[in-house]
Amino acid sequence: MRADETPQPPLHPVIRTDIQLLRALAIILVILHHARFPYLPAGFLGVDIFFVISGFLMTGLIDKALAEGRFTFASFYARRVRRLLPAAYATLIGTAILAPLLIDAAEYRGFVGQLAGSFTFVVNMVLWQQSGYFANAATLKPLLHMWSLSVEEQFYIVLPPLMLLCPARFRLALAAVLVMASAALCFMLVDISPSVTFYFLPTRAWELGMGAVIALALRGGVIVPAPLRATRLLCCGLLAIVPFVSGEGGHPGLPALLVCFATAVLMIPTGNRPFFNAWLKPLTLIGDRSYSLYLVHWPIFAFANQIFIRPVPAYVNALLLILCFIVAEAQYQFVEQRFRKLAINPRSIALLVLVPIIVVGSSFALSRANALPDTLARSPNTGLSPVCEYFHGFTAERICQTQDDPETMVWGDSFGMALTPGLAATLPQGLVQATRSVCGPFLGISPINDANFSRGRAETCLDFNNQVLDYLSRHPEIRTVVLTSALIQYSAGGDNKHWTVLVQTPAGPVAREQSIGDVVQGLSHTVSAIRALGRKVVMFAPPPSIDFDTGRCLMRAEAGLFTIGASGDCRFTRSAYEAYRKPNLDLLAAFRARNLVPIITLDQPLCGSGECLTRLDGTMLYADDAHLSSPGSRLLGTRMNWGAMVARTAR
């Protein structure tokens, strides 16, 4: 029997109950995760389930149409437009109307970029650019979730021509090779560049591709519908367990691989024997509405995160879940269903082009009109320039020094960046900025956090500090070094992330739990090395801070936006600060007890009355929850004359 005479099983019925159930599971995982449901740390894996399903359905649809000689780009993209754009447009328009009423000016600037990116299916790239260390919290971005739709749309642009150009007999092999290549790239980059790995199609294509491989294998008769009951039970177990036992670190990694594999296996039809029990069928109603649920749920939670300056209470999130289902049902009935047969003609195409132009243009104009003065603007404070964050090693760029042959060096992490404007304003002999986010100026020790600061990045932190010391040894004109760090990443219990440390030993770097002794030793090595070069050294302690984003609170207060969880002037008491930052203060006390280095603090100037200032002479002192703003740094620096304090205190 020739291959072309082999009976071809249908890829799937018009509506497969099992796929709708998987869609229901995926969206439930996602929205419960975003509602901060306890004991579900990896509910975001629902997106990975969606990717596999999309790859399976689209590849099967295109391959079948090509085999029957009826595939056209026009018909394929017309179906995608009808299925995706009306509901997406409705969500984007509604979000754009509410955003200026609920979010502050700084967030709104970023929102306009996200809005433009969402309409043009490149918001994943926009979010990647907004995902740096100083970027506003992801939970505050109303269109954050649109990244996955952009990845899917980019996949839909690449997939049809790729399949059309590839002979049918080679498609499965090509898909398998591309899946392996994409997965290899993903796992290679996940520690090196987590943002790129998370947001970009080349490093996420393997997830969609796994569904594509199953679709092509079914179409080619390589695999056939079968009950596979034991295998399906194992895969269902993986989908039920992995989201509850995994974490956010290193995503997409092994948990995503397990979930995608399980989903891909479950894409194989069961034949004539249904696998899922009939009592699960009502859940298909959620699967039917999964697209609208996905679209509307995140703006609702993000707006709540904006209004609550501290974490949204559990009971509020529970009420928001109900609201998500109500809004999604309305969108499903009145938008999704109504426009399923939208005529694609010049008039509708013109409308689909005109709507984004009007919405984005109006939002951009409103953003410009609501711009605040520099003294009230909440923007990243990277010191002299964003270049001075030194992601790729220390090279002493000219823009990162205030004059030739500066006499002072600022060496530290992002808190060193935040101090730099104030120090630059009060050091006439000039300074050079040597800073790297998260990387404190402690030789031989570096922080590790699986969520955003991997071991690979910790090793580059060790190298960075050695490079700074080497530069210092070659520049005798630098007479004084100002050290500073957030300290949170080195203090046991400093925040709710699980930090460990990488310590340099004679046998090489060794990861271990945080301890004051290791940090004290790291600071001791730094201070001793600086003084061995004949230079003076002083340390700046982090400014007072509390458990909410002070900068965001101030901007919302200035704009008159409704805010829950903080006083109208966003001040906090000294006792509350000392209780919240006790791990930091204990570490500073250990430095003092060993008389390692003189320490300058801002506690008395800012909290001397028992209440900590957050604004001075109309200027916002904080850019976020703990970093000084650039105007605030300059104001405090000149008021306190930090340059004179450094000269007087350093030894």
Side-chain angles (χ1 to χ4, degrees):
M1 182 178 288
R2 300 197 315 272
D4 59 0
E5 293 176 343
T6 303
Q8 298 292 331
L11 183 62
H12 54 81
V14 176
I15 297 178
R16 274 180 54 179
T17 300
D18 56 344
I19 291 180
Q20 293 304 88
L21 288 173
L22 284 170
R23 281 177 165 154
L25 172 65
I27 192 59
I28 288 170
L29 287 174
V30 170
I31 63 176
L32 287 181
H33 177 72
H34 289 156
R36 295 191 176 95
F37 183 79
Y39 316 118
L40 186 60
F44 53 81
L45 290 168
V47 174
D48 304 81
I49 296 173
F50 278 127
F51 279 163
V52 177
I53 294 172
S54 293
F56 174 80
L57 294 175
M58 291 303 102
T59 303
L61 184 152
I62 295 170
D63 191 68
K64 188 173 188 295
L66 286 170
E68 295 172 355
R70 57 180 177 79
F71 175 83
T72 65
F73 287 103
S75 64
F76 175 79
Y77 289 116
R79 289 185 66 175
R80 293 297 87 210
V81 165
R82 294 187 191 99
R83 174 73 180 95
L84 299 176
L85 292 196
Y89 273 37
T91 298
L92 294 174
I93 293 168
T95 306
I97 291 171
L98 291 174
L101 306 176
L102 298 173
I103 65 178
D104 65 53
E107 295 289 346
Y108 194 71
R109 285 197 301 272
F111 169 78
V112 174
Q114 296 159 32
L115 186 64
S118 296
F119 274 118
T120 53
F121 309 118
V122 294
V123 74
N124 55 329
M125 301 178 189
V126 174
L127 290 164
W128 167 64
Q129 293 178 321
Q130 296 180 357
S131 66
Y133 181 79
F134 283 100
N136 297 336
T139 57
L140 304 177
K141 300 181 189 299
L143 298 178
L144 178 75
H145 65 316
M146 298 296 289
W147 75 269
S148 65
L149 298 178
S150 291
V151 168
E152 287 195 29
E153 289 297 333
Q154 291 158 21
F155 179 75
Y156 298 156
I157 291 171
V158 172
L159 182 64
L162 194 63
M163 292 185 66
L164 185 64
L165 293 173
C166 181
R169 64 183 181 276
F170 296 132
R171 284 176 194 151
L172 178 58
L174 177 62
V177 169
L178 292 177
V179 165
M180 289 187 286
S182 173
L185 183 65
C186 173
F187 290 112
M188 180 178 68
L189 293 179
V190 69
D191 285 336
I192 299 171
S193 184
S195 293
V196 168
T197 309
F198 184 89
Y199 283 119
F200 278 57
L201 175 62
T203 49
R204 301 304 290 258
W206 63 272
E207 301 181 69
L208 295 127
M210 287 180 75
V213 166
I214 296 297
L216 292 170
L218 282 168
R219 292 276 310 152
V222 177
I223 56 178
V224 296
L228 302 173
R229 193 162 189 83
T231 303
R232 291 178 191 278
L233 285 172
L234 174 61
C235 291
C236 288
L238 287 173
L239 295 182
I241 294 171
V242 172
F244 289 89
V245 298
S246 303
E248 295 184 5
H251 181 70
L254 179 60
L257 179 61
L258 292 174
V259 164
C260 289
F261 172 80
T263 306
V265 171
L266 292 172
M267 291 293 96
I268 301 172
T270 59
N272 296 323
R273 296 180 60 186
F275 176 69
F276 292 100
N277 291 326
W279 62 269
L280 289 173
K281 192 169 183 179
L283 287 176
T284 61
L285 295 175
I286 296 178
D288 295 340
R289 291 152 176 79
S290 59
Y291 182 52
S292 277
L293 267 171
Y294 187 79
L295 286 172
V296 306
H297 87 280
W298 181 246
I300 291 172
F301 285 118
F303 285 143
N305 292 333
Q306 290 278 354
I307 293 170
F308 284 83
I309 207 69
R310 287 183 168 93
V312 180
Y315 76 91
V316 174
N317 278 325
L319 294 173
L320 293 176
L321 276 175
I322 298 172
L323 179 61
C324 289
F325 279 91
I326 293 172
V327 176
E329 180 64 23
Q331 179 160 284
Y332 176 75
Q333 295 293 345
F334 299 112
V335 180
E336 271 199 77
Q337 294 294 89
R338 181 175 179 180
F339 289 96
R340 279 192 183 276
K341 296 183 179 180
L342 174 70
I344 305 300
N345 52 39
R347 180 179 177 183
S348 61
I349 292 173
L351 186 63
L352 290 171
V353 172
L354 187 61
V355 167
I357 293 173
I358 294 173
V359 175
V360 175
S362 301
S363 299
F364 178 75
L366 189 59
S367 174
R368 296 292 298 269
N370 290 342
L372 293 174
D374 288 343
T375 54
L376 295 173
R378 185 168 69 95
S379 55
N381 180 5
T382 54
L384 299 178
S385 166
V387 173
C388 311
E389 199 164 350
Y390 288 114
F391 287 114
H392 305 293
F394 182 63
T395 54
E397 300 290 340
R398 179 60 183 84
I399 197 172
C400 300
Q401 54 190 61
T402 56
Q403 62 184 51
D404 294 329
D405 301 326
E407 295 186 8
T408 301
M409 170 185 279
V410 179
W411 181 0
D413 53 24
S414 58
F415 280 62
M417 302 178 205
L419 282 176
T420 295
L423 288 168
T426 55
L427 287 168
Q429 295 79 23
L431 66 77
V432 57
Q433 181 180 336
T435 51
R436 179 186 172 97
S437 293
V438 189
C439 184
F442 307 118
L443 290 172
I445 181 172
S446 176
I448 302 176
N449 177 267
D450 290 338
N452 52 21
F453 206 78
S454 65
R455 179 178 176 125
R457 292 185 67 188
E459 290 174 349
T460 61
C461 173
L462 295 176
D463 294 339
F464 172 82
N465 282 330
N466 290 330
Q467 292 163 7
V468 174
L469 182 64
D470 178 66
Y471 178 85
L472 188 61
S473 69
R474 293 183 283 106
H475 288 268
E477 72 277 5
I478 299 175
R479 305 307 308 160
T480 304
V481 179
V482 178
L483 304 176
T484 188
S485 170
L487 299 181
I488 298 168
Q489 67 271 39
Y490 298 95
S491 307
D495 64 9
N496 58 5
K497 299 175 183 176
H498 179 63
W499 290 99
T500 56
V501 290
L502 190 66
V503 178
Q504 186 69 56
T505 70
V510 175
R512 55 198 191 204
E513 294 299 314
Q514 293 171 319
S515 75
I516 286 180
D518 282 334
V519 187
V520 167
Q521 186 176 37
L523 178 60
S524 177
H525 287 165
T526 303
V527 172
S528 297
I530 293 170
R531 288 177 177 159
L533 295 173
R535 321 299 169 83
K536 293 182 178 181
V537 60
V538 64
M539 186 173 193
F540 254 90
S545 59
I546 195 62
D547 62 339
F548 62 78
D549 189 330
T550 309
R552 186 163 71 87
C553 179
L554 288 167
M555 285 207 73
R556 293 186 66 83
E558 182 67 26
L561 297 173
F562 178 59
T563 304
I564 300 173
S567 64
D569 57 7
C570 305
R571 294 189 182 192
F572 50 91
T573 65
R574 181 167 187 165
S575 59
Y577 146 61
E578 290 174 346
Y580 180 64
R581 290 300 186 199
K582 186 177 185 302
N584 272 16
L585 298 175
D586 289 345
L587 189 54
L588 288 168
F591 295 161
R592 292 191 184 94
R594 290 160 179 79
N595 197 27
L596 293 177
V597 62
I599 299 174
I600 298 173
T601 76
L602 301 178
D603 293 6
Q604 186 60 30
L606 292 181
C607 306
S609 66
E611 195 172 46
C612 299
L613 298 176
T614 57
R615 189 198 300 248
L616 189 61
D617 293 345
T619 297
M620 285 174 42
L621 299 181
Y622 291 83
D624 51 30
D625 60 333
H627 297 86
L628 293 176
S629 67
S630 187
S633 177
R634 282 192 294 271
L635 178 61
L636 287 176
T638 53
R639 284 285 184 91
M640 297 172 62
N641 198 345
W642 285 352
M645 291 177 69
V646 167
R648 185 170 61 251
T649 309
R651 59 176 174 81

